[in-house]
Amino acid sequence: MPITTGQEQLELTWKRAQMKAGIDLKEAQTRKSQQDWRLDPQRVIIQAILATAAIVGAAGGVLGYFIGHATGR
């Protein structure tokens, strides 16, 4: 059975809609990854500063403990 012009037009419209949906999905995924908070430079810097402060604080506490016990306090 030959395809009519109406059927061809419907199939073409359907394929275009599928392609547009795929493109829209890809763009949405790209926007989401760009807005991902883990990739935000300000948050990365803040987290690095907090991690450094925690490490330095822990090291200072351990050092203070050993110095305090070494001096007999």
Side-chain angles (χ1 to χ4, degrees):
M1 179 172 176
I3 296 177
T4 64
T5 306
Q7 288 174 329
E8 290 174 346
Q9 190 66 22
L10 182 62
E11 186 176 328
L12 181 62
T13 302
W14 182 72
K15 285 182 181 180
R16 283 184 181 164
Q18 273 189 322
M19 290 188 331
K20 177 147 178 33
I23 291 169
D24 291 345
L25 177 62
K26 183 65 177 173
E27 288 175 351
Q29 289 172 339
T30 302
R31 279 193 305 274
K32 184 180 183 310
S33 70
Q34 289 172 345
Q35 294 174 351
D36 193 357
W37 66 270
R38 292 173 292 176
L39 301 178
D40 183 16
Q42 183 179 5
R43 288 185 185 255
V44 170
I45 291 170
I46 290 170
Q47 289 177 349
I49 290 171
L50 291 176
T52 303
I55 292 169
V56 169
V62 170
L63 184 62
Y65 174 79
F66 286 125
I67 290 174
H69 282 286
T71 60
R73 290 187 202 180

